[in-house]
Amino acid sequence: QLFLTDAIRKGEINEPTAVITADQTDGIGSRENRWIGGKGNFFASVALKISMLPEDLPPVSTSLYFAWLMKEILGPSFPDLWLKWPNDLYLGEGKIGGVLTNRLKNFYVAGIGVNLKKNENFFNALETELLPMILLDMYLKRLENPPKWKDIFRKYRLEFGKNRCFYAYDGSKVISLENAHLLED
């Protein structure tokens, strides 16, 4: 993600671009957390022009949108996979990935991490033989015809209740999702 955002700032990238790495040592997470991973896992960033995405996609929902697309791809093989508000992929009760999106000029840059295999970091993982490059190809094919936000939101609303035993952050403030309600906006 840092590579793509830097290249966009310098004007070196003007077209949709994706990058992938075999190992991540300093990934960016929410609240300045770091996402460290090992070989065999999925670490990619995708820069898309804003005009390529649905007109009804609110800027504050982009991470949820990009994460949902990954959930759709992996979901048939992992029926217990779900999306925790606002950008984390969970398998059952364990986090296995996440998406962080930034807006820069006329691009959204989505950094996506998914633990496909357990390794030295001992994080939860899907435990799949799916290769990161194949997953990136599947993801990019899905983005060729991006669904409308209202269609994603309608599906996400059905599983939002799984968030109730978790919490979210507003700056440094911890907020329980026990009584949270998902509103149209």
Side-chain angles (χ1 to χ4, degrees), residues 62-154:
T62 54
S63 289
L64 182 77
Y65 182 85
F66 288 119
W68 186 270
L69 295 179
M70 182 60 75
K71 180 203 178 289
E72 282 186 339
I73 292 166
L74 295 169
S77 298
F78 300 95
D80 291 338
L81 187 67
W82 63 282
L83 184 56
K84 179 186 164 287
W85 180 265
N87 61 345
D88 293 328
L89 292 163
Y90 270 67
L91 185 63
E93 295 181 16
K95 180 178 175 178
I96 57 94
V99 175
L100 187 64
T101 306
N102 291 303
R103 183 177 180 169
L104 187 62
K105 295 186 178 181
N106 62 336
F107 284 93
Y108 281 121
V109 180
I112 307 166
V114 180
N115 291 333
L116 301 175
K117 300 175 181 297
K118 280 202 185 231
N119 54 44
E120 66 274 1
N121 63 23
F122 300 107
F123 293 133
N124 294 318
L126 293 175
E127 293 299 329
T128 179
E129 295 301 316
L130 181 61
L131 297 173
M133 202 61 193
I134 301 295
L135 182 54
L136 178 60
D137 187 54
M138 294 166 68
Y139 195 79
L140 295 175
K141 280 189 180 14
R142 183 66 182 104
L143 285 169
E144 288 176 2
N145 187 20
K148 297 222 178 281
W149 165 245
K150 70 177 182 174
D151 296 331
I152 297 286
F153 184 76
R154 185 178 312 119

Side-chain angles (χ1 to χ4, degrees), residues 1-15 17 19 47 104-105 107 109:
Q1 193 169 38
L2 293 174
F3 172 81
L4 284 179
T5 55
D6 189 45
I8 292 168
R9 270 191 205 98
K10 292 177 180 175
E12 297 170 351
I13 293 178
N14 295 309
E15 295 300 321
T17 305
V19 295
L104 187 62
K105 295 186 178 181
F107 284 93
V109 180

